[in-house]
Amino acid sequence: KLSKRLEAVASFVPTGAVVADIGSDHAYLPCYLVHNGIVKKAIAGEVVKGPYESAIKQVKLEGLEDNITVRLADGLKAVEKSDGVNTITIAGMGGPLIVSILDKCPEVLHSVTRLILQPNIHAKVIREWAIRNGWAILDEVILKEDEKIYEILVLQRGAMELSEQEILLGKKLMAKQTEVFAEKWSKEIENWKRILTSLDLAGGTEDIVKKREDIQRLIKLVEEA
Ligand code: SAM
């Protein structure tokens, strides 16, 4: 059975899409998509040998070799032009790593109409990347599984303007105000307040004063939301 997290990622894959799942590990997500009749064709990309072999093994085990191609490659290099990929999923990594993967091969994105990204941390950098590169947020989800909180961002082509607050928290997530959202940000605030206390003990150099101000601003932004 697929994790709740990957099931949520899968729920945003359009029926009939051609998907590349980058950093696929066991290729659980592409296998699920094919088994559930959501897609017929998928690429599973892995840059590390061990997970690449796990993906090959899983695809064989499930008898999906005709539908899923597993490639050992760095990021979007797993995608070839003739694949006709129009949807990319990248899940289970930090936001900065996801952004660096997207930035490395911009030409692969030309044929892509939907990105489904699931950063474990720092979703903010993905929103910034989206604004810079002409992508807009179609939907956002925040969920909790095994005591961890995850965000999923669904992007499609388009212009988008976000305030600093919306970049940090997610405009759609702010509008939904779920319990998990409140939990995530109360924890962040607690954490920032702890940092402020330790900075209080560290003295008053220019650097520290600046750091304090930055954190106080963040706390204010989040509390207002
Ligand atoms: N996507 C799966 C999930 O969400 O459950 C697996 C997540 S796993 C924590 C991250 C995977 O990304 C690892 O298997 C790692 O080898 C792979 N990875 C990291 N950087 C990559 C890159 N540049 N290109 C392809 N795969 C990468």
Side-chain angles (χ1 to χ4, degrees), residues 32-165:
Y32 173 93
L33 290 170
V34 175
H35 271 317
N36 286 274
I38 299 165
V39 313
K40 288 200 178 71
K41 186 178 165 182
I43 310 295
E46 250 306 327
V47 75
V48 178
K49 200 95 194 282
Y52 163 75
E53 277 160 5
S54 309
I56 298 254
K57 207 168 139 192
Q58 191 64 29
V59 168
K60 242 190 208 154
L61 190 73
E62 302 202 27
L64 297 177
E65 296 103 315
D66 289 345
N67 306 90
I68 301 171
T69 307
V70 183
R71 295 201 185 112
L72 183 64
D74 182 10
L76 300 181
K77 291 202 181 88
V79 180
E80 292 170 9
K81 232 187 172 158
S82 58
D83 294 331
V85 165
N86 53 26
T87 301
I88 289 178
T89 56
I90 311 180
M93 305 175 204
L97 180 56
I98 293 177
V99 162
S100 79
I101 288 174
L102 294 170
D103 271 337
K104 235 179 184 174
C105 300
E107 67 285 356
V108 171
L109 297 180
H110 289 165
S111 64
V112 173
T113 51
R114 181 171 294 202
L115 296 170
I116 307 159
L117 309 173
Q118 185 269 298
N120 288 342
I121 51 166
H122 300 312
K124 172 180 186 259
V125 298
I126 294 183
R127 297 191 187 98
E128 288 166 340
W129 178 89
I131 293 172
R132 278 200 309 276
N133 290 279
W135 292 86
I137 294 173
L138 180 66
D139 206 350
E140 291 175 298
V141 167
I142 188 163
L143 62 94
K144 189 172 170 183
E145 184 171 49
D146 298 333
E147 291 311 305
K148 286 195 197 104
I149 294 177
Y150 302 101
E151 287 176 47
I152 298 168
L153 283 71
V154 186
L155 308 184
Q156 65 179 8
R157 302 262 171 201
M160 161 175 80
E161 272 180 45
L162 295 179
S163 67
E164 192 186 355
Q165 191 182 43

